[in-house]
Amino acid sequence: MADRLEGLALEENATYDQEALNYIQRAARYGMYDIRGLGAKRSLPGFEDLTFLTGSMSRYPLEGYREKCVTRTAIGTRHAENPIELDIPITIAGMSFGALSATVKDALGHAASEMGTSTTTGDGGMTPEERASSETLVYQCLPSRYGFNPDDVRKADAIEVVVGQGAKPGGGGMLLGLKMGERVARMRTLPPGIDQRSACRHPDWTGPDDLTIKIRELREITDWRVPIYIKFGATRVFNDVKLAVHAGADAIVVDGMQGGTAATQQVFIEDTGIPTLAAVRQAREALEDLDMRGTVQLIASGGIRTGADVAKAIALGADAVSIGQGVMMALGCNSPHYWQNGEAVSALEDYKALGTKPGYCHHCQSGKCPVGITTQDPELEQRVDLEEGAKRVRRYLQTLNMELTTLARACGKSDVHHLEPEDLVALTVEAAAMAKVPLAGTDWIPGGAGQ
Amino acid sequence: MAGISEGKAPESNGESDLRFDLREHSVRHINGRLHGDLSGIRHVAIDHPDGAHNLAVGVDAPVNIDIQGHAGYFIGGMNQQAEITVHGNVGWSVGENIMSGTVRVKGFASECAAASGHGGLVVIEKDASSRCGISMKGVDIVVGGSVGHMSGFMAQLGTMVICGDAGHGLGDSLYEAVIYIRGKDHGLGADAREEPMEETDRRKVAGLLEKAGLDYAPSEFRRIASGRTLYHWNADAEQEY
């Protein structure tokens, strides 16, 4: 027998590969779907599948180190008395106090303020710390309405009505009992320690016609001062953008399939929504169709990591981008160590206890974050130093912005908002079809006009 | 104060009052004034609402506001301190996210009355439609008539007193809110269960009925509260999630 097996190749079954086997065996053992944090693990068409056609002969590049490139960005110019004015078109996405520690929320506020951009609250309401540290704070109005109140509405610089999230479009949030500490529970009006399931839809409106009136209510309460954004997970983007414009949005946030979460069902993360790349292009087309481009601003989010991603999102049609997971990683998410008193301390044992390793961790839902970012444990929370954290996020945003302007200048643009789809080509047929830019070296756009 | 009639309103005690007429003043104008300095003003009347939406939203002052007729959606939304009375029917989401004070509807209310209310009191003297008190977070709600389906869905904290009947799915996925119902329900929602009425329950119902100006015997009410079986993940619960 041993002789017969010797030399037999171990070939993985394409249908029942290790991933499928693990899934089936886990489901058979527990009878329960998997809940996890962070974003999609599967490979998706993304901004890395596009490349810029920078200046050469037919276009003239700007001097990278000397000539200015404008990055100022206005959001909410349609109706609001006080539109948001950002120094850079890179914002920090909504992440809740509860999912993240109060220290992290505070650090994000400081970093955003130093870079002249906005940060955003999340499910769980506004903490006084983040309001104090955030020069420009976007206040999310979520289906759960945890901690939502008119005092905080009036303290906000913009309001973001969250319809859905890229990692879980159509689904509500989760906060497992391990993260439902005393303060989080108080803000959410829930008993400490329970597993909290957020609503997937708002309690006081169920469609765009109601939302139109709801948005006017928010405008009335804030005396029409601040912009109202609508954020949704990217699914039927073309129609959803049109309805959001109809409902009165000043700005639209489209969160693609690569977006992250603190916790949700694995099946939501991997099997719902469309990639950010495709979503941005569809959103732009919907705005152009309504002759609203430039009037209603578009913010793209979902897996934006680098300055190149930012530049490509803007070239495809976004006025700004919003980053969540990238910011967490700048803070140290998935790092092998954390910093205390200026020294690196190994977190490997903590990763091991979670059954994972740095670089592979997606255990935000557990509340046992080895580097103290997605936790409510007071001891773990101390692993994030507020000042150091703010500095790291600021440097990350600064790097993204420098890369953005470098690419814009190389394309001959003195303003990053002058980037356009014509500056891009695709490296794969899939990306060409989704982004509606030609395949590199051709003038072919799959599914384009005349195909 | 251009465009605002100063004068005595109905039920006025003669103090400085404001009176608005929706045929002459916009909702924006009225709300803007209600968000301004209301010192010395105890009573505000709003005539001819004619179904207007978003009236008296975001008020944060101890004033009495009388809306003299039928009104639209989100009336008295996010109220703080004010005592708002609608002398007619209202559309969706009356008193949504109320923090304190009172919103009273003399007639009927459409869906989502007092949704996600954090505090204060919402009184619907006649019927409320479906999803009344959905996601409530501390508000007290008294409905003189019946409520529609899925009322109290995911209600976290506060009390709802229903003097009539309730549609199906009453109290689905309740957290710590408690519902008292006098009539029949057409089925409780997931994890909602009937519990014995204690003396504290009867006192609470009596107190809320008195505040609402409704005359029913507390002993006629049943208590519906959370079975707390959904507080923690349980694979055996299957579709209950």
Side-chain angles (χ1 to χ4, degrees):
Chain A
M1 183 72 177
D3 291 344
R4 286 178 58 206
L5 288 175
E6 198 172 332
L8 190 67
L10 292 175
E11 291 179 67
E12 187 169 74
N13 186 306
T15 306
Y16 294 94
D17 58 11
Q18 289 302 306
E19 186 184 336
L21 272 173
N22 287 342
Y23 164 79
I24 291 168
Q25 287 168 1
R26 188 190 178 285
R29 182 175 180 190
Y30 295 107
M32 179 58 127
Y33 43 63
D34 197 11
I35 295 170
R36 70 171 177 87
L38 236 58
K41 292 180 187 173
R42 66 160 68 201
S43 177
L44 294 162
F47 293 110
E48 67 274 22
D49 297 318
L50 304 179
T51 185
F52 277 105
L53 301 180
T54 50
S56 54
M57 290 293 286
S58 53
R59 298 225 182 171
Y60 188 72
L62 298 185
E63 182 58 59
Y65 294 106
R66 296 190 176 86
E67 291 182 277
K68 296 269 186 212
C69 184
V70 174
T71 57
R72 282 193 72 77
T73 304
I75 307 283
T77 54
R78 185 184 184 190
H79 294 299
E81 187 182 323
N82 303 327
I84 300 289
E85 291 283 344
L86 304 174
D87 291 342
I88 62 171
I90 307 164
T91 65
I92 295 180
M95 293 177 279
S96 72
F97 168 60
L100 304 184
S101 71
T103 305
V104 165
K105 292 295 288 175
D106 198 3
L108 296 181
H110 283 288
S113 298
E114 287 178 35
M115 286 302 295
T117 190
S118 62
T119 187
T120 312
T121 66
D123 223 338
M126 181 190 289
T127 65
E129 297 99 313
E130 70 179 331
R131 177 60 282 188
S133 60
S134 309
E135 196 171 297
T136 305
L137 183 61
V138 181
Y139 185 42
Q140 288 192 328
C141 174
L142 288 127
S144 69
R145 303 289 167 79
Y146 295 132
F148 188 77
N149 69 65
D151 293 332
D152 290 339
V153 166
R154 293 192 186 95
K155 288 177 195 161
D157 300 294
I159 298 165
E160 184 171 291
V161 179
V162 179
V163 179
Q165 197 176 328
K168 49 192 176 195
M174 305 247 180
L175 195 72
L176 300 187
L178 286 163
K179 296 175 83 172
M180 187 62 79
E182 287 287 344
R183 184 179 176 192
V184 174
R186 196 167 56 249
M187 285 181 70
R188 298 185 185 218
T189 330
L190 289 167
I194 67 156
D195 297 335
Q196 166 248 298
R197 295 148 292 149
S198 300
C200 69
R201 58 180 188 268
H202 283 260
D204 54 353
W205 59 270
T206 56
D209 292 333
D210 310 331
L211 177 57
T212 305
I213 305 168
K214 173 71 190 174
I215 285 176
R216 288 186 73 93
E217 184 206 20
L218 292 168
R219 290 198 198 284
E220 285 296 320
I221 287 169
T222 54
D223 292 312
W224 292 69
R225 286 181 299 102
V226 302
I228 311 284
Y229 305 179
I230 296 178
K231 174 181 179 176
F232 51 81
T235 53
R236 297 174 180 84
V237 174
F238 190 79
N239 290 336
D240 288 345
V241 166
K242 286 196 163 187
L243 290 172
V245 171
H246 161 76
D250 293 301
I252 294 166
V253 185
V254 179
D255 196 21
M257 191 177 177
Q258 292 98 325
T261 177
T264 194
Q265 295 96 320
Q266 159 99 350
V267 73
F268 265 124
I269 299 175
E270 300 290 357
D271 297 287
T272 61
I274 64 171
T276 307
L277 180 75
V280 177
R281 199 65 164 100
Q282 279 205 325
R284 177 195 176 110
E285 285 183 356
L287 290 174
E288 285 173 344
D289 215 39
L290 294 169
D291 198 21
M292 278 287 173
R293 195 164 140 69
T295 302
V296 173
Q297 283 77 36
L298 176 65
I299 301 170
S301 63
I304 290 172
R305 307 147 298 175
T306 66
D309 291 349
V310 177
K312 290 168 186 173
I314 290 175
L316 287 180
D319 294 278
V321 300
S322 194
I323 300 180
Q325 289 179 103
V327 159
M328 282 167 57
M329 286 163 193
L331 280 163
C333 170
N334 268 295
S335 169
H337 51 252
Y338 57 92
W339 292 87
Q340 278 198 333
N341 304 319
E343 297 209 0
V345 181
S346 173
L348 292 177
E349 285 304 312
D350 297 88
Y351 282 107
K352 194 175 173 185
L354 280 172
T356 188
K357 288 198 277 191
Y360 300 91
C361 184
H362 54 255
H363 294 266
C364 320
Q365 80 284 354
S366 71
K368 295 177 179 173
C369 179
V371 289
I373 297 169
T374 60
T375 185
Q376 295 302 315
D377 181 312
E379 284 187 25
L380 289 175
E381 184 176 351
Q382 286 177 9
R383 296 184 178 185
V384 173
D385 178 86
L386 198 156
E387 282 185 31
E388 177 63 21
K391 195 186 293 179
R392 291 176 65 87
V393 174
R394 180 182 60 73
R395 287 189 197 127
Y396 172 57
L397 296 177
Q398 180 178 301
T399 305
L400 295 185
N401 197 52
M402 288 165 71
E403 289 176 341
L404 164 65
T405 53
T406 297
L407 286 168
R409 280 189 291 244
C411 291
K413 317 291 186 183
S414 61
D415 186 323
V416 296
H417 299 293
H418 295 166
L419 287 166
E420 54 194 329
E422 288 71 21
D423 294 318
L424 293 167
V425 290
L427 300 172
T428 67
V429 174
E430 288 82 0
M434 288 186 192
K436 296 187 182 176
V437 298
L439 189 66
T442 77
D443 57 1
W444 179 48
I445 301 175
Q451 299 294 316
Chain B
M1 212 179 286
I4 299 176
S5 313
E6 299 279 353
K8 288 183 182 177
E11 304 171 31
S12 164
N13 59 5
E15 298 291 331
S16 296
D17 292 333
L18 294 177
R19 175 161 224 128
F20 302 97
D21 189 328
L22 258 293
R23 293 175 306 185
E24 298 172 24
H25 304 112
S26 66
V27 170
R28 175 80 290 267
H29 179 92
I30 296 169
N31 284 334
R33 182 66 185 89
L34 293 176
H35 298 168
D37 181 10
L38 293 177
S39 51
I41 291 173
R42 293 187 183 181
H43 186 271
V44 178
I46 301 174
D47 295 332
H48 300 105
D50 295 342
H53 305 308
N54 300 322
L55 277 171
V57 296
V59 178
D60 187 6
V63 291
N64 289 298
I65 299 173
D66 279 288
I67 297 172
Q68 304 288 352
H70 305 309
Y73 287 28
F74 296 106
I75 305 306
M78 300 197 206
N79 184 53
Q80 291 169 285
Q81 302 189 69
E83 309 284 326
I84 300 170
T85 303
V86 182
H87 298 266
N89 307 323
V90 294
W92 276 42
S93 301
V94 63
E96 73 86 16
N97 221 86
I98 180 174
M99 304 298 291
S100 61
T102 303
V103 175
R104 177 184 293 270
V105 178
K106 305 289 265 185
F108 298 88
S110 189
E111 296 190 35
C112 313
S116 74
H118 284 253
L121 174 69
V122 173
V123 179
I124 313 296
E125 294 194 359
K126 293 185 178 172
D127 297 335
S129 185
S130 60
R131 311 200 315 154
C132 178
I134 180 173
S135 195
M136 56 196 276
K137 293 170 166 56
V139 64
D140 290 325
I141 302 171
V142 182
V143 180
S146 299
V147 298
H149 66 272
M150 293 302 280
S151 289
F153 178 51
M154 291 178 80
Q156 295 170 225
L157 197 64
T159 308
M160 179 155 43
V161 176
I162 304 163
C163 300
D165 304 331
H168 69 79
L170 179 67
D172 193 293
S173 303
L174 277 177
Y175 288 93
E176 294 295 298
V178 176
I179 298 171
Y180 298 98
I181 180 167
R182 180 171 163 271
K184 61 179 182 294
D185 63 77
H186 288 82
L188 302 183
D191 202 29
R193 68 180 183 189
E194 187 170 339
E195 295 179 344
M197 285 285 283
E198 307 285 348
E199 183 52 33
T200 52
D201 296 306
R202 285 187 281 274
R203 275 204 300 270
K204 189 181 251 184
V205 171
L208 286 171
L209 288 171
E210 187 181 357
K211 282 185 186 174
L214 293 166
D215 186 20
Y216 294 106
S219 59
E220 297 174 22
F221 287 79
R222 294 179 291 132
R223 172 190 163 98
I224 309 296
S226 174
R228 298 185 175 91
T229 61
L230 299 181
Y231 277 22
H232 296 282
W233 293 101
N234 174 7
D236 296 332
E238 297 178 342
Q239 290 305 310
E240 286 299 299
Y241 295 121

